[in-house]
């Protein structure tokens, strides 16, 4: 068995070599010796010469081995694709102009004990790519680029918010009450406290407690968990940016969203004009604003209202092939009609505004439209990217909303919220006018990288467990 060293002294990366030595003349040596390390991704032999491609986290560079100067030349030519090696040698260019490192000495750093796909063919089975991301990242350049872009997006987002005086905070992942969004939670049990806890479905109610506590601009890039179905846009574990800004309303948050997304597009893509699912898409600010009621009329030709007889609304919903539940009120029926007839058909970015209070338990009542709230969702390419409100700050109204949610839960709505008494107590200490926002960061990076499946932007997506022999 090959003896594996405990460390390797690397003096250069592939990217640094390319940046510094790309301009040397063909067929010349640079006079500079480097030590590099990475995986052997390609190899071919040509008589007494052997060529390989070494890849590290920065890029790739050719290896140039000679039988008369490379120690254990036969051992080098017997390496397997995917083996980790360390190479020391002079930077040079072949007569054909290929920037290379001569293999003056080498050692194996880790042996692959499984067949390793070459970078030209990659992994064709999507399920295998998601399960074996540790291989996919080496052989699929596009995958590596997506996750580099994702990392950059998170960093840029933090910097952009901090430049606007937002403070990053951390709130609990274990919640005694599942709240902050309409979703089915994952449950767990804490043995020492002998109590049931929930993995958070949103950090909202804790972040708003911090607003009560005097932090006027807070944000969290949070892992959240929802025990629901999976699709090309849903993973049960995902990343959400939530932020709260005191003294702001939902119109302020609309401007923040479109400016942030425009900034990220310019920094990551170099343009606000991107392509998604084969169609052009502009992420430039400003985005269109349109109310849910107006959009339903625009797409169906029918005008609906909250004060219509519920029988008329239900009949209209059934006509749109919506399966109506008996306990739904007019607001819920209108939301379902909108989601069935409108949302998936909205391509260019639009802020869909003014949702019924019945389906917006944490949103403040609209200052002009009775029965509606100051809430919007940002829809891009037919998908919800963000959800935001002028936050409900009245503890009396909030209690009524929570109790209405509990009634829905008793009627069969498994995603309805429970009454959070501590949050109500926090509101009783006074919460200033506040605008709040949640952005699905996985969906946002999908747009910025042209990825139509959420699993392509999650390093280790949730999958059905494998069965090992």
């Amino acid at each position: 068995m090959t003896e594996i060293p405990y460390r390797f002294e690397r003096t250069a990366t592939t990217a640094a070599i390319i940046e510094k030595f790309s301009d040397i003349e063909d067929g010349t040596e640079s006079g500079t010796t480097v030590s590099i390390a990475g995986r052997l991704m390609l190899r071919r032999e040509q008589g007494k010469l052997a060529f390989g491609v070494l890849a590290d986290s920065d890029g790739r560079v050719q290896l140039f081995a000679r039988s008369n100067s490379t120690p254990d030349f036969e051992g080098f030519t017997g390496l397997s694709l995917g083996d980790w090696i360390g190479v020391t040698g002079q930077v040079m260019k072949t007569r054909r102009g290929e920037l290379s490192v001569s293999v003056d000495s080498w050692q194996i750093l880790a042996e692959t004990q499984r067949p390793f796909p070459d970078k030209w063919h990659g992994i064709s089975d999507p399920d295998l790519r998601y399960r074996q991301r540790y291989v996919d990242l080496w052989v699929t350049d596009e995958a590596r680029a997506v996750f580099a872009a994702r990392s950059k997006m998170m960093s840029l987002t933090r910097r952009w918010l901090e430049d606007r005086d937002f403070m990053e905070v951390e709130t609990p992942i274990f919640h005694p009450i599942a709240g902050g969004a309409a979703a089915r939670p994952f449950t767990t049990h804490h043995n020492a406290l002998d109590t049931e806890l929930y993995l958070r479905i949103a950090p909202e109610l804790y972040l708003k407690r911090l607003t009560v506590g005097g932090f006027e601009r807070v944000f969290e890039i949070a892992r959240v968990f929802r025990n629901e179905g999976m699709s090309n846009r849903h993973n049960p574990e995902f990343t959400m940016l939530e932020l709260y800004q005191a003294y702001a309303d939902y119109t302020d948050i609309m401007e923040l969203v479109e400016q942030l997304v425009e900034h990220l597009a310019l920094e990551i893509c170099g343009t606000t004009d991107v392509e998604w699912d084969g169609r052009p898409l502009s992420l430039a600010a400003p985005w269109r604003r349109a109310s849910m009621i107006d959009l339903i009329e625009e797409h169906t030709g029918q005008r609906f209202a909250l004060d219509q007889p519920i029988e008329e609304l239900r009949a209209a919903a059934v006509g749109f092939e919506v399966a109506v539940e008996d306990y739904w009120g007019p607001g819920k029926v209108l939301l379902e009609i909108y989601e069935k007839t409108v949302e998936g058909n909205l391509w260019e970015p639009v802020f869909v505004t003014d949702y019924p209070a019945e389906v917006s338990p944490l949103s403040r009542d609209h200052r002009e439209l009775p029965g509606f709230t100051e809430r919007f969702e940002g829809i891009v390419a037919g998908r919800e990217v963000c959800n935001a409100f002028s936050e409900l700050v009245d503890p009396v109204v909030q209690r009524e909303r929570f109790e209405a949610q509990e009634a829905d839960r008793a009627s069969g709505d498994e995603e309805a919220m429970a009454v959070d008494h501590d949050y109500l107590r926090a509101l009783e200490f006074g919460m200033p006018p506040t605008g709040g926002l949640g952005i699905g960061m996985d969906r946002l990076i999908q747009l910025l990288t042209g990825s139509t499946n959420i699993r392509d932007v999650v390093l280790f997506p949730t999958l059905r467990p494998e069965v090992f022999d």
Side-chain angles (χ1 to χ4, degrees):
M1 184 175 179
T2 303
E3 184 175 348
I4 303 299
Y6 281 83
R7 68 186 301 275
F8 180 81
E9 189 70 37
R10 188 173 68 165
T11 64
T13 64
T14 59
I17 291 170
I18 293 168
E19 180 180 2
K20 186 174 182 179
F21 298 103
S22 290
D23 294 336
I24 65 173
E25 294 183 6
D26 296 353
T28 64
E29 295 180 337
S30 67
T32 300
T33 296
V34 297
S35 293
I36 58 176
R39 281 194 191 271
L40 183 66
M41 299 303 297
L42 290 172
R43 193 194 66 247
R44 62 184 175 88
E45 299 170 41
Q46 187 176 321
K48 295 182 179 182
L49 301 177
F51 302 89
V53 171
L54 182 137
D56 62 15
S57 62
D58 291 330
R60 290 173 166 83
V61 71
Q62 179 171 274
L63 303 177
F64 181 69
R66 305 174 180 91
S67 62
N68 62 354
S69 62
T70 297
D72 190 11
F73 181 78
E74 290 186 3
F76 182 82
T77 60
L79 289 169
S80 299
L81 295 185
D83 282 346
W84 292 80
I85 59 173
V87 172
T88 298
Q90 190 170 177
V91 179
M92 55 170 288
K93 262 193 183 175
T94 66
R95 284 177 292 180
R96 295 186 176 183
E98 186 70 33
L99 186 64
S100 307
V101 174
S102 63
V103 185
D104 298 336
S105 67
W106 67 277
Q107 58 183 306
I108 192 161
L109 304 180
E111 293 179 292
T112 180
Q113 299 178 32
R114 290 178 178 269
F116 206 88
D118 68 69
K119 73 174 293 287
W120 302 114
H121 297 91
I123 303 175
S124 58
D125 180 356
D127 186 71
L128 197 60
R129 288 185 59 205
Y130 305 140
R131 291 188 186 279
Q132 298 182 19
R133 187 71 83 188
Y134 38 84
V135 178
D136 178 47
L137 291 171
W138 285 106
V139 300
T140 311
D141 290 342
E142 295 81 5
R144 185 181 289 267
V146 163
F147 291 108
R150 180 184 176 117
S151 177
K152 184 177 182 180
M153 179 185 73
M154 298 299 184
S155 176
L156 288 167
T157 299
R158 285 187 166 94
R159 195 177 314 147
W160 192 88
L161 290 170
E162 288 168 351
D163 287 346
R164 286 152 183 79
D165 297 326
F166 282 87
M167 180 177 71
E168 184 172 13
V169 297
E170 296 173 303
T171 62
I173 291 177
F174 290 137
H175 288 190
I177 296 172
R184 187 185 308 169
F186 288 94
T187 62
T188 188
H189 187 81
H190 190 287
N191 291 334
L193 295 178
D194 190 23
T195 188
E196 192 168 79
L197 295 171
Y198 304 92
L199 296 183
R200 67 179 170 198
I201 56 178
E204 176 166 347
L205 299 185
Y206 282 97
L207 290 172
K208 288 195 284 193
R209 286 172 169 92
L210 296 180
T211 305
V212 172
F215 289 145
E216 296 178 359
R217 296 188 180 206
V218 294
F219 78 95
E220 182 171 11
I221 297 179
R223 297 294 283 182
V224 296
F225 310 86
R226 298 185 182 179
N227 195 356
E228 53 194 20
M230 296 187 293
S231 70
N232 63 2
R233 67 179 74 181
H234 295 98
N235 192 64
E237 175 184 2
F238 61 99
T239 302
M240 178 183 292
L241 164 67
E242 284 220 12
L243 63 83
Y244 293 86
Q245 179 177 338
Y247 318 120
D249 67 6
Y250 77 148
T251 62
D252 298 301
I253 303 301
M254 288 181 208
E255 293 180 7
L256 184 151
V257 170
E258 63 193 5
Q259 291 169 11
L260 172 60
V261 173
E262 181 179 73
H263 171 72
L264 294 174
L266 290 171
E267 290 292 323
I268 293 171
C269 308
T271 178
T272 56
D273 295 323
V274 301
E275 183 176 289
W276 198 84
D277 201 19
R279 294 177 60 183
L281 180 66
S282 173
L283 299 177
W287 294 6
R288 181 189 178 195
R289 279 90 160 139
S291 74
M292 176 193 292
I293 295 296
D294 288 344
L295 285 168
I296 293 174
E297 182 178 17
E298 184 178 305
H299 285 257
T300 68
Q302 299 182 50
R303 185 75 181 180
F304 296 103
L306 272 179
D307 56 2
Q308 277 183 254
I310 188 64
E311 294 79 9
E312 290 184 12
L313 292 175
R314 289 175 176 168
V318 170
F320 294 122
E321 299 182 347
V322 173
V324 178
E325 299 289 345
D326 291 340
Y327 62 89
W328 289 359
K332 176 64 172 174
V333 175
L334 283 174
L335 175 65
E336 293 293 329
I337 290 174
Y338 156 77
E339 291 184 346
K340 185 72 173 183
T341 63
V342 178
E343 185 172 274
N345 297 312
L346 298 174
W347 185 256
E348 294 295 332
V350 57
F351 292 127
V352 181
T353 65
D354 308 337
Y355 283 64
E358 179 187 344
V359 294
S360 310
L362 300 170
S363 306
R364 190 166 185 173
D365 287 335
H366 200 286
R367 66 195 81 181
E368 297 175 357
L369 303 174
F372 290 89
T373 62
E374 295 195 351
R375 170 187 172 189
F376 73 84
E377 289 187 357
I379 308 298
V380 185
R383 298 178 175 212
E384 175 197 341
V385 174
C386 66
N387 187 24
F389 325 134
S390 295
E391 299 295 335
L392 177 53
V393 298
D394 185 328
V396 175
V397 177
Q398 185 63 81
R399 182 179 296 277
E400 293 171 353
R401 298 269 189 87
F402 277 153
E403 290 173 349
Q405 286 280 297
E406 281 206 333
D408 287 345
R409 178 181 290 273
S411 299
D413 186 352
E414 296 181 348
E415 297 184 348
M417 300 180 196
V419 176
D420 188 330
H421 293 283
D422 178 72
Y423 176 67
L424 291 171
R425 178 171 59 189
L427 290 183
E428 289 168 353
F429 280 95
M431 179 174 170
T434 299
L437 167 70
I439 295 181
M441 299 300 275
D442 308 272
R443 292 186 182 177
L444 184 53
I445 195 60
Q446 280 188 262
L447 292 171
L448 296 175
T449 59
S451 303
T452 56
N453 193 324
I454 195 171
R455 293 180 179 182
D456 290 327
V457 300
V458 176
L459 277 169
F460 300 102
T462 303
L463 301 167
R464 189 180 299 279
E466 286 184 273
V467 178
F468 291 92
D469 294 333

